[in-house]
Every structure is written in C-alpha cells, then in structure tokens.
Amino acid sequence: MSSLKLKSLAHVVVVAGLSLGLSACFRPLYGPTASGESLQTVLASIDVPMMDWPPSLANVGHYLRSEMIYALNGSGSATPKRYKLALKLSESRSTPVVDTNTGTASSVIVAGTLTYTLTTLDGKTVVTQGTATSSTSFDRFSQRFANLRAGRDAEIRLAKDLAQQVKTRLSATLATAS
C-alpha cells in the first residue's frame, strides 16, 4: 500500500473511533426519554391552567394558552397530569415607521416576553423555568377593521412562536429527566 492510502485509512479509523466515542453523548430529542417513556406522553402530562390575564393581554393570553395546550398535547389524549406550567406574559408595541402626511403609524412591531415555570403538580418542586422572547410586525392600513384583524393575526403569530419556543425548551429538559 502506498503512504497516501495508509494516511486515508488512518483518517477513516480516527473519525470512526471518535464517532463511536461521541455517539453516546447525543440523544434524539423526540425519542424515548431517560426514563424510557415517550416524550409526547411526558409533554401531554403538563397541565396549562386557566389564567386571569389583564385586559390588555386577554386576547394574546388566550391564544398563548391555546397554542401551549396544542403544542404539548396535540393528540388530545386524556393523559394524567404530573406537571403544571405557570405563564407570565408581557407585551409591547412600537411604531417604527410613521407616515409624515397623516401622522399615523404605517407599521407596528408587537413584542412579547413569556416567563414560564414548570413545577410538579403539587407545586413543591420546580422542574425548569425560563424566558422566551419573540416579536412580529404588521402593516397598518386606512381601514380600521383591517388594522384590527392585522393586529390580531400578529398576536396569534406571536403566541405560536412563544409556545413553540417553550415546548422546545421543555422537551430538552424533560427528555433528559429520569
């Protein structure tokens, strides 16, 4: 064998050896959890209780809770609850572009910050907690009802994004919990 072939073979052996050594470090996110239970079953065991949102957050709070329930238990199965998810939401709106002729905003940015805490059902043990942030925008028009619908659509997009972020973070935590 030539020295070039030996070097190539040596590289393959080194890469294969490293791959085998590192393969135990990675766990598929949506495979079985460390306890052997499916991640979907664990996520479905999270209760998202009703919240009394302030009037300014009532719509987006409703959308957020609905999106969280769907993200965690999209199958609708009646899984016994083991965890409780507490949510705290803040929302802000800014108008970066203003039409100089009419003095009205031509676009709006809706930003949201969601703080979540996952506890055991009795509330004694905090499993994980964190903060998710997102923003979305919508254009304003001369029609009032078009603006209302565009604002509502932006709130729905914001709620979906925040719910997906929280689901991913909860999945990563619960997949490794035993």
Side-chain angles (χ1 to χ4, degrees):
M1 285 186 152
S2 70
S3 68
L4 184 59
K5 286 184 180 181
L6 285 174
K7 284 183 181 181
S8 296
L9 182 62
H11 288 313
V12 169
V13 169
V14 168
V15 169
L18 289 174
S19 298
L20 289 174
L22 293 174
S23 66
C25 298
F26 300 104
R27 175 188 303 271
L29 182 59
Y30 293 104
T33 62
S35 65
E37 195 173 13
S38 78
L39 182 60
Q40 185 55 45
T41 304
V42 175
L43 290 174
S45 70
I46 298 174
D47 182 35
V48 185
M50 292 286 291
M51 304 261 325
D52 285 330
W53 301 102
S56 62
L57 296 175
N59 281 342
V60 72
H62 166 75
Y63 299 134
L64 178 64
R65 181 175 182 269
S66 296
E67 290 297 330
M68 282 305 312
I69 290 171
Y70 182 74
L72 297 174
N73 188 10
S75 67
S77 63
T79 306
K81 302 302 181 190
R82 292 185 289 183
Y83 303 103
K84 182 171 57 173
L85 184 64
L87 304 172
K88 183 179 178 189
L89 177 68
S90 64
E91 180 190 67
S92 64
R93 292 177 183 241
S94 60
T95 54
V97 180
V98 176
D99 185 352
T100 56
N101 293 330
T102 62
T104 59
S106 59
S107 69
V108 177
I109 296 175
V110 182
T113 302
L114 177 65
T115 304
Y116 63 93
T117 304
L118 183 69
T119 61
T120 54
L121 199 54
D122 60 9
K124 293 182 181 178
T125 306
V126 174
V127 178
T128 187
Q129 57 189 0
T131 302
T133 59
S134 182
S135 64
T136 185
S137 64
F138 67 95
D139 292 331
R140 292 183 46 97
F141 305 99
S142 58
Q143 296 92 2
R144 180 175 59 184
F145 294 113
N147 291 332
L148 290 173
R149 184 66 227 187
R152 185 172 296 155
D153 288 344
E155 289 176 343
I156 292 170
R157 287 193 310 273
L158 180 70
K160 283 182 180 183
D161 189 41
L162 290 172
Q164 191 60 44
Q165 286 183 43
V166 172
K167 177 194 175 191
T168 302
R169 293 175 189 184
L170 293 176
S171 297
T173 299
L174 294 173
T176 57
S178 51

